[in-house]
Amino acid sequence: MHFYYNKIIFMFFFSFMFQRHYSANACLLPICSLYGAAVTTVEGVGSTKTRVHPVQERLAKCHGSQCGFCTPGMVMSIYTLLRNYPEPTSEQMMAALAGNLCRCTGYRPILDACKTFCKESACCQRKANGKCCLDQEDDLFDKEEKVSTRLFSTDEFQPLDPTQELIFPPELMRMAENQPKRTLFFHGERMTWISPVSLDELLDLKAAHPKAPLVVGNTSVGPEMKFRGVFHPIVIAPARIPDLNVVKRLTLGAACSLSLVKDILTNAISEYPEEKTKVFCAVLQQLRTLGGEQIRNVASLGGNIISRKSTSDLNPILAASNCMLNLASRGGKRQIPLSDVFADGVGNNIITPEEILVSVYIPHSRKGDYVSAFRQAPRRENALPITNAGMRVLFEEGTDLIKDLSIFYGGAVSTTICAKQTCGTLIGRHWNEQMLDEACRLILKEIALPGSPSGEKVDYKKILVVSFFYRFFLEVLQSLRTMVNWFSTSTEEQPSQSPQDPVGRPIMHQSGIKHATGEAVYIDDLPSVDGELFLAVVTSSRAHAKIVSIDTSEALKGPGVFDIITAHDVPATNEFYYSDGPEIIFVICVGQIVCAVVADSDIHAKQAAAKVKIEYEVLEPVILTIEEAIKHNSFFEPKRKLEHGNVDQAFETVDNIIEGEIHIGGQEHFYMETQSVLAVPIGEDKEMDVYVSTQHPAIIQEMVAASLGVPANRIMCHVKRVGGAFGGKLLKAGLLASVAAVAANKTSRAVRLILSRGDDMLITGGRHPFIGKYKVSATRIQGKSTCPYSVNKSFSYNQFNFKTKLLARKPRDSVTVQPFICFCLYLCRGFFLCFVGFFFPSPFVSFSFYSSFCLSFWEWEAKLAQTSAEVYFKMSIWYVHTKEQLVFTEPVSYRKSYPVEEINLFPAHDNFCLLFHLYYIGKVREVL
């Protein structure tokens, strides 16, 4: 069975007394853990050669596919939900897709396809004409507006028939029911997987192998092994032990998945009276945003607790709720409160290394209990929290006197911590504002956050720590409810169009069905070529340094290693000039390729690459940021300056000045399919077929041909489809294709290079960060003019074009003044991984300009009466970019709606311009 990289979601069945369907991430789930389970990939759900499944058909016909790389995962998540719930609710469908990412299609058409399976009708929320779609006639066109209200017709869909789905294999069912359970051993090249079947056996294994990790969902050990290089020769998998899977009312086995915990608590809420369900509701609130459905399906309750990670969303609320842990060791069994585990912070060793967490008891709330959980993260789902908290307060019956109080925080230090002293001080106090003030002061004093160089994140966490308690204070007083509004649009279509005219019509993607069935072939889906080798790159880890030596001896001794490729192996060109600066295959810079390892498998290549030893001679200064470049006065020469008027003198005469900064970070392209290349030598005159994921096949052909020193007609570049690019697969893909081609040329074997997500984001560039410092001033001027005035002026200096455009409309009364402009350009020199849109890392640059100009603000005419405003403006921009790309052209005119003259220096970066423009206008309003 093959798991393709892009088909990351699959489904499996368990046969322990019942059948259950789960979706999971293939990259996290070890193959050894699937013993006794039936696995279905997207190819098994449906195919164009047999029968397309309704899920696949509707996702395609509802336009839920663009590049198609994420579509198999969407199909498996929806398919799994429908196997468990043939008529799901919209909430269930949203939860099922919360763990899936889509980069180019957008989620609206995907959700539209999902809603066709839901039992309740869902309004499309089309309110452009003031009508709901459910109130209109059921035909394709709105008779008044003549626009299409639907992008698809449900009449074309085949029905969903649960009786036609795959059954659980009878042989696996007989094996589960009849064969006695036995311990499983799986031996690999470097590690052994042991799966015991009893608690006593697990305790013996733990005593014999004290350093061996216990793995159930692999959500902790797996990422450590993949991203941090942690190696475990022996792994123990206790998921088949009945004691660890027990479910007795509110006692849950430590191996129970978080999805199972979620289902059990949901059922408990429906069974218990409301006053007893407050703990369950708070835990469920955290479970809904903990990872995604695929993570919760495999992650275990016990693993979440024992890992004691600060980022755990469950530990603070479970500890605050007085949950109890049932432990076992060879010396016996005992029960301890979870709160004791985190009572003394990081150094707490209340659970000994030889003890095993068997089960967890989650108590119900009591009368007078108030329980809440809080979480702040970069995103609602699939993001580790910045800070989280769990809080519980119990009042004396009939009063607001605090009888018991528990406050736990996560994300503050390396584990969950308890505000024990604060809670003890507040017992017996009334729940009022005086208590709130003292509690906030005590919490900030007790929860000591580790410092950071900038201090910004520490300050933010302190705000969150206090804010969480303030929210808890309010929630105890009243219940807060929130409402989310959704918006949607429709596509215009003229009903009088010819049937052959496709303009404006919703037409299904030509490859949509193949995307949904997994039959769409990407680079890593191509079948293996006879004798194929795999490539892993070794990147530079220093910014400003010289390479003293490269030791590849240990790497060459690795199993399956074929060769090491360096710049000396490039037959011809190692540099490409598509602009003033070179693009280099093998270079010395952080994140750039120093050499590459060729081996018989991807795993062997990566293991050998990790053994390459590079000795550096570090040079000074190491300039890694724009701020450091400015501090060290690191600029390219010559400096350029353009002036019109005396800016400094103009600022000396103003009444008010406002100054500030804007920081906008860089952005990764984050395509779903990473950079991928397969180079296949033909065997005659260095002819080669190159299969590559790129937006520009012609550049790939030219660069590969140049690196091999052959005419371009001997290189055949194949591009069937691309799994997302967004401008990130131009020259980058060409340089990586050249690396693979050089390796294929040297070895005379086909070479496949598929970057991991981490290597892709390290090696390639991105979109640029900005640092902007502005200075705005305004002076009131008496008098007014009745004649409108506008001016267009263009300035140029060498190859840099600076054009100002003053947009004017005819006002009743206005004052306009000639602008004062001083423009200075500084190209900063540094040594870090530059965020350059289409290029590899290069020395970053920055520029700054200063301008002062007067504006007429007609919309404030009534407010200012007989007085107009003269506004001076000064701004400095530090901008990461390459020197040859700093060319200013005619500014775009999308901001014509603003009644303000403006200067646009960045036509290629409209998002920054618009943001800064709106921010600047707001500051001017404050001055006036």
Side-chain angles (χ1 to χ4, degrees), residues 31 77 104 182 185 204 271 294 585 657 677 737 746 849 855-856 859 862 871 896 898 912-913:
I31 195 71
S77 292
C104 55
R182 58 185 178 86
F185 293 86
D204 292 339
E271 295 174 1
Q294 297 81 18
I585 298 178
I657 293 178
V677 183
K746 183 180 180 180
F849 72 88
L855 305 178
S856 298
E859 60 178 301
V871 180
K896 288 184 178 179
Y898 294 101
F912 173 78
C913 297

Side-chain angles (χ1 to χ4, degrees), residues 264-416:
I264 293 171
L265 294 182
T266 301
N267 294 333
I269 289 175
S270 62
E271 295 174 1
Y272 283 81
E274 183 178 356
E275 66 179 21
K276 292 186 176 183
T277 63
K278 294 177 182 178
V279 171
F280 309 151
C281 291
V283 175
L284 275 178
Q285 176 184 327
Q286 299 296 72
L287 281 173
R288 292 189 185 101
T289 55
L290 197 158
E293 192 78 14
Q294 297 81 18
I295 300 295
R296 293 192 294 268
N297 283 340
V298 296
S300 67
L301 175 62
N304 202 282
I305 294 173
I306 291 298
S307 65
R308 299 181 61 178
K309 289 187 176 180
S310 173
T311 53
S312 169
D313 288 325
L314 289 184
N315 286 345
I317 185 59
L318 291 177
S321 303
N322 290 329
C323 289
M324 303 297 293
L325 305 182
N326 297 310
L327 306 173
S329 66
R330 300 175 95 180
K333 298 181 180 180
R334 67 185 181 118
Q335 188 178 66
I336 63 170
L338 177 57
S339 57
D340 289 355
V341 176
F342 304 112
D344 299 324
V346 180
N348 191 320
N349 295 316
I350 190 171
I351 300 178
T352 60
E354 63 271 12
E355 286 184 308
I356 301 294
L357 175 59
V358 179
S359 60
V360 181
Y361 172 71
I362 303 178
H364 59 73
S365 55
R366 296 173 288 173
K367 186 176 181 180
D369 255 340
Y370 291 88
V371 186
S372 294
F374 305 97
R375 176 181 190 267
Q376 183 64 44
R379 296 178 303 280
R380 187 172 183 270
E381 288 126 349
N382 295 303
L384 294 176
I386 300 170
T387 304
N388 53 33
M391 302 181 187
R392 181 187 63 86
V393 62
L394 175 65
F395 293 113
E396 296 282 358
E397 187 173 356
T399 70
D400 65 346
L401 290 175
I402 301 174
K403 183 178 181 180
D404 190 21
L405 180 63
S406 297
I407 302 174
F408 287 82
Y409 286 101
V413 292
S414 59
T415 189
T416 300

Side-chain angles (χ1 to χ4, degrees), residues 51-283:
R51 169 181 172 267
V52 176
H53 193 273
V55 173
Q56 298 166 324
E57 177 199 35
R58 299 188 191 187
L59 201 58
K61 290 185 177 180
C62 293
H63 319 288
S65 152
Q66 187 168 321
C67 82
F69 204 78
C70 70
T71 309
M74 299 289 180
V75 169
M76 295 313 298
S77 292
I78 302 169
Y79 177 75
T80 303
L81 178 65
L82 294 177
R83 293 302 306 268
N84 292 323
Y85 305 96
E87 291 186 345
T89 63
S90 295
E91 290 75 18
Q92 288 175 320
M93 191 66 75
M94 293 283 286
L97 291 175
N100 293 74
L101 288 178
C102 176
R103 181 68 174 84
C104 55
T105 306
Y107 297 98
R108 171 59 61 186
I110 297 172
L111 293 176
D112 286 342
C114 296
K115 289 177 181 178
T116 63
F117 295 104
C118 297
K119 59 184 177 181
E120 71 268 17
S121 60
C123 173
C124 72
Q125 298 183 3
R126 176 179 173 271
K127 300 182 182 298
N129 60 352
K131 300 178 182 178
C132 172
C133 65
L134 300 180
D135 298 330
Q136 300 181 34
E137 295 184 13
D138 188 20
D139 60 10
L140 186 61
F141 300 101
D142 185 300
K143 289 183 170 59
E144 295 180 1
E145 295 195 357
K146 304 297 182 184
V147 297
S148 171
T149 58
R150 293 185 298 177
L151 297 178
F152 53 86
S153 175
T154 56
D155 298 336
E156 300 176 0
F157 298 155
Q158 57 176 315
L160 177 66
D161 187 356
T163 64
Q164 300 301 308
E165 303 293 357
L166 297 170
I167 64 171
F168 191 82
E171 56 271 27
L172 290 180
M173 193 176 298
R174 288 193 297 268
M175 181 184 73
E177 293 173 350
N178 302 326
Q179 292 185 8
K181 287 187 176 182
R182 58 185 178 86
T183 300
L184 301 177
F185 293 86
F186 296 95
H187 300 280
E189 286 185 356
R190 301 195 302 161
M191 64 178 294
T192 300
W193 177 282
I194 307 175
S195 178
V197 294
S198 69
L199 182 59
D200 291 337
E201 186 180 3
L202 174 62
L203 295 174
D204 292 339
L205 286 170
K206 185 63 177 174
H209 309 284
K211 295 184 178 180
L214 271 61
V215 175
V216 177
N218 200 40
T219 57
S220 179
V221 174
E224 287 180 352
M225 296 179 67
K226 180 177 177 64
F227 300 114
R228 300 182 182 91
V230 178
F231 175 68
H232 300 286
I234 296 178
V235 172
I236 303 173
R240 300 167 63 232
I241 299 175
D243 298 76
L244 271 66
N245 289 280
V246 65
V247 178
K248 293 182 179 179
R249 299 296 289 175
L250 299 177
T251 299
L252 308 178
C256 289
S257 69
L258 297 183
S259 290
L260 181 59
V261 174
K262 184 170 173 280
D263 292 341
I264 293 171
L265 294 182
T266 301
N267 294 333
I269 289 175
S270 62
E271 295 174 1
Y272 283 81
E274 183 178 356
E275 66 179 21
K276 292 186 176 183
T277 63
K278 294 177 182 178
V279 171
F280 309 151
C281 291
V283 175

Side-chain angles (χ1 to χ4, degrees), residues 342-614:
F342 304 112
D344 299 324
V346 180
N348 191 320
N349 295 316
I350 190 171
I351 300 178
T352 60
E354 63 271 12
E355 286 184 308
I356 301 294
L357 175 59
V358 179
S359 60
V360 181
Y361 172 71
I362 303 178
H364 59 73
S365 55
R366 296 173 288 173
K367 186 176 181 180
D369 255 340
Y370 291 88
V371 186
S372 294
F374 305 97
R375 176 181 190 267
Q376 183 64 44
R379 296 178 303 280
R380 187 172 183 270
E381 288 126 349
N382 295 303
L384 294 176
I386 300 170
T387 304
N388 53 33
M391 302 181 187
R392 181 187 63 86
V393 62
L394 175 65
F395 293 113
E396 296 282 358
E397 187 173 356
T399 70
D400 65 346
L401 290 175
I402 301 174
K403 183 178 181 180
D404 190 21
L405 180 63
S406 297
I407 302 174
F408 287 82
Y409 286 101
V413 292
S414 59
T415 189
T416 300
I417 55 176
C418 175
K420 184 165 56 175
Q421 297 178 6
T422 301
C423 295
T425 303
L426 296 178
I427 290 178
R429 299 287 300 275
H430 290 277
W431 194 260
N432 53 29
E433 292 188 3
Q434 288 73 25
M435 182 279 302
L436 174 64
D437 293 340
E438 185 175 358
C440 292
R441 179 179 56 80
L442 292 173
I443 289 173
L444 283 177
K445 181 179 179 181
E446 183 173 3
I447 306 299
L449 299 176
S452 67
S454 64
E456 295 177 359
K457 199 168 185 179
V458 173
D459 294 339
Y460 179 52
K461 285 187 176 183
K462 288 180 179 179
I463 294 173
L464 290 177
V465 165
V466 175
S467 298
F468 286 161
F469 185 80
Y470 178 63
R471 286 177 57 188
F472 180 58
F473 173 79
L474 295 178
E475 286 186 7
V476 171
L477 301 176
Q478 59 182 351
S479 177
L480 301 177
R481 300 180 181 272
T482 58
M483 181 179 298
V484 178
N485 295 318
W486 294 86
F487 302 92
S488 62
T489 59
S490 62
T491 299
E492 294 187 7
E493 179 181 350
Q494 298 298 329
S496 59
Q497 275 184 271
S498 167
Q500 287 77 30
D501 183 4
V503 177
R505 295 185 187 276
I507 299 176
M508 185 183 70
H509 195 301
Q510 188 175 13
S511 298
I513 293 293
K514 286 181 283 187
H515 289 162
T517 60
E519 296 171 273
V521 177
Y522 298 85
I523 301 301
D524 203 23
D525 295 328
L526 293 172
S528 298
V529 181
D530 187 29
E532 178 180 295
L533 299 174
F534 293 82
L535 200 68
V537 295
V538 179
T539 58
S540 173
S541 60
R542 297 293 186 273
H544 190 196
K546 291 182 179 180
I547 289 184
V548 178
S549 64
I550 302 176
D551 183 3
T552 61
S553 57
E554 289 297 320
L556 288 170
K557 295 177 183 178
V561 175
F562 200 88
D563 204 347
I564 304 290
I565 309 298
T566 67
H568 301 293
D569 297 311
V570 181
T573 303
N574 192 36
E575 297 182 0
F576 303 93
Y577 288 83
Y578 284 92
S579 56
D580 292 344
E583 298 296 328
I584 306 173
I585 298 178
F586 294 95
V587 296
I588 313 305
C589 180
V590 166
Q592 292 196 273
I593 302 171
V594 177
C595 61
V597 179
V598 185
D600 60 355
S601 71
D602 183 53
I603 293 177
H604 286 160
K606 290 179 178 177
Q607 290 174 352
K611 296 178 182 179
V612 175
K613 299 177 182 178
I614 303 175

